[in-house]
Amino acid sequence: MSLVADSPVSSSGSDDFAEFLDGHLDAGSENEDDGEAKREVASSSSSSSSSEEEFEDDDQPVSKRTKIPEAEIVQNGDGLEGSASHVIVKQNLETSSSASVSKNECAHPGSFGKLCVRCGAQVEVAGVSFGNIHKEILFGNAEVARWRDTDTKSVLCRRKLYLVLDLDHTLLNSTHLKHMVPEEDYLNNQIDSIQDCQNGSLFRLSFMNMMTKLRPYVHTFLKEASQMFEMYIYTMGDKAYALEMAKLLDPRNEYFHAKVISRNDGAQRHQKSLDMVLGDESAVLILDDTEHVWPSHRDNLILMERYHFFASSCQQFGFGCHSLSQLKSDESEPEGALAAVLSVLRRVHHIFFNELAGQTGRRDVRQVLNTVRKDVLKGCRIVFSRVFPSKFPAESHPLWKMAVNLGATCATEVDPTVTHVVAMDPGTKKSRWALEKDKFLVLPRWIDGANYLWQRLPEENFLVKSNEPKAEAKVKDSVV
C-alpha cells in the first residue's frame, strides 16, 4: 500500500505537501549507503506499533517503492489508516525530481526517525511535529510555511476558508456507560443504529463502553459549513475516540477526509494550536467550548455554549442542575447553538469574499469575525449594579469585557444615555433608577446569551424580577 494511493483527499494545495512527502520519502532510495538505515527505520516503526488498532485497507495498487515501505508507515506507524495523515497525502502523479539530491546539497526540510526525508542523512530538524501523520515525522518551519501558503491560496481560490471543530460539548456529548444515572436508563431504548449514522443522533458504542449524543442540527450544520470551509476536527480526546466520533459525524467521509487531530498528535499537553492545520491563521476559524486551550489563537475562536446532554457532563463541570437527558429534553434545532453559529459563519464568509473582494492581500478572517461580533450589542450602553465584587476593577471583569467585545459601551455610573442596567437585585439604587427611567433591567445571563447566540436577545426574557413591594424597595437608598 502506498502512503498516497490510499488517500481519499482530492482537493486543495496540500497536493504540493503530499507530493513532497511521498516523493521525498522515495528520494535517495537507490543510494546504497542509506538504504539500510531506512530499512531499519521502517522495521522500528513496525515493531513499535504492533499494539495499535488496525483500520480497514482498500484495494488500491501498491506504488513502486525501493526504500521505506509506506505500507508499514501507514499500517504500523501509529494507527494512521483513516487518520489525519490523509490531510496532506494525495496521489503522486510523477516521480520526485529531487531523488538525486546528495546529502551535502540537501537542505534537510524534514525528518523521519532522525533521518532526512529527502536524502536519508541523520539530522536534527527544528520545526513542526506532524504527529497526526506519524509520531516521528517533523518538518522544518520554512517547508511548512511554503506548504501552508500553497494550500491557503488553493482553498481561497475555491472561495473557502478553514474551520477547526472541537468535538466534546461542541458537536456532541459522550459518557461512559458506567457513569449513566438511573434517570437515563430510558435512553437504552432510544439508541440509533451505528449503521445509520447519517440519520441517527444517539449511539451506544459498546466496544468503547460509551454512549454518544450528537448535538441537534449537527448534520445540517456540517453539510452547510462544508460548502464554505475546509474542515478539521481537533479534540483533546485520544486518537481512537476521535476517529470513532468522526465516523458518526461524517459516515460517508464527505467533510473531513480524515483531517482529524487528537491529543496524541499535539506538541503541548492541554493546549491546542494551528500548527498542524495547513491554512494561514488569517483564514482559519475555530469552534470550541473552551477558550483557554487556544492561548495563541483566541482571535480565531468562536466560543460555543457547552452541550450538556448527559448527567456526567454536568457533574464534570460542577453543575448541580439536571442535564438535558434527565429532563428528557434537548436543544432546539432551528434556535440552538449550531444554527446560530452557522448564521455567523455565513456572514463572515460573505463579508470576506464579497465585501472585501478587492482587498485580496489584506483580508483577515479574524478582523471580519471581530466586526461581526461587535454588531451584536452595538448601540447598547450598559451599567452594572452589584454584579462584580466591590474591590474588583469593573473593567477587568469577564462580563464587562464580554459586553465590550460584543460592541456595547460600558460605564460605571448611570446617565440618560444608559440603555441597560445589568443586576441581580431589583432593589439597588441603579436598578430602581432603571425602572423609574424606563430602562432595561436585565440579568447577567442576557449578555451571556448574546455572546453564545451572536444576537441581541429579547430583554423581556431576562428581566430582573422583584420579590418585594415597590414601597419597601425604595428604602434601600444605601445600596448601590
Side-chain angles (χ1 to χ4, degrees), residues 199-428:
N199 299 309
S201 66
L202 180 65
F203 305 96
R204 183 187 177 99
L205 306 174
S206 298
F207 62 97
M208 299 181 73
N209 295 311
M210 181 176 293
M211 186 175 286
T212 294
K213 174 66 171 65
L214 303 187
R215 197 167 198 164
Y217 200 71
V218 70
H219 291 303
T220 301
F221 172 84
L222 292 175
K223 181 179 180 180
E224 296 290 330
S226 68
Q227 305 301 311
M228 302 179 286
F229 297 88
E230 287 288 316
M231 299 192 297
Y232 285 72
I233 285 175
Y234 198 148
T235 177
M236 284 296 191
D238 62 31
K239 182 172 294 183
Y241 173 75
L243 293 176
E244 290 302 324
M245 295 303 103
K247 291 177 185 177
L248 296 181
L249 292 166
D250 186 15
R252 298 176 183 172
N253 200 26
E254 299 174 287
Y255 308 133
F256 303 110
H257 300 294
K259 295 190 290 290
V260 180
I261 304 171
S262 69
R263 72 182 179 198
N264 308 74
D265 309 319
Q268 295 179 295
R269 290 180 59 83
H270 310 302
Q271 287 188 6
K272 299 179 180 181
S273 77
L274 296 178
D275 288 349
M276 287 178 283
V277 175
L278 286 184
D280 190 86
E281 293 179 17
S282 64
V284 180
L285 292 178
I286 302 165
L287 296 190
D288 204 315
D289 67 284
T290 307
E291 182 178 17
H292 67 79
V293 299
W294 293 99
S296 301
H297 306 289
R298 291 181 178 177
D299 290 340
N300 302 80
L301 176 65
I302 296 177
L303 190 64
M304 296 291 293
E305 184 176 15
R306 289 193 174 105
Y307 182 50
H308 297 293
F309 184 77
F310 295 107
S312 62
S313 181
C314 292
Q315 295 166 4
Q316 175 186 350
F317 289 91
F319 297 143
C321 59
H322 284 86
S323 67
L324 290 169
S325 63
Q326 290 173 293
L327 296 172
K328 296 186 176 181
S329 181
D330 209 343
E331 283 186 358
S332 164
E333 285 212 3
E335 299 177 1
L338 289 178
V341 79
L342 181 60
S343 178
V344 174
L345 295 178
R346 288 195 187 106
R347 187 176 176 195
V348 170
H349 185 273
H350 174 80
I351 293 175
F352 189 94
F353 286 104
N354 293 84
E355 298 182 18
L356 301 180
Q359 302 179 27
T360 306
R362 300 192 297 272
R363 290 181 297 181
D364 192 322
V365 74
R366 293 167 293 191
Q367 296 176 3
V368 176
L369 184 64
N370 186 53
T371 298
V372 173
R373 181 183 282 113
K374 284 189 174 298
D375 281 343
V376 175
L377 294 182
K378 184 178 180 179
C380 297
R381 184 172 175 81
I382 299 173
V383 166
F384 296 90
S385 180
R386 296 192 67 181
V387 173
F388 315 139
S390 58
K391 295 183 180 181
F392 195 100
E395 295 83 354
S396 301
H397 195 277
L399 200 61
W400 179 295
K401 292 181 177 180
M402 185 184 294
V404 171
N405 288 337
L406 293 171
T409 301
C410 295
T412 55
E413 298 297 333
V414 297
D415 63 47
T417 65
V418 170
T419 59
H420 296 72
V421 172
V422 176
M424 297 291 293
D425 182 358
T428 69

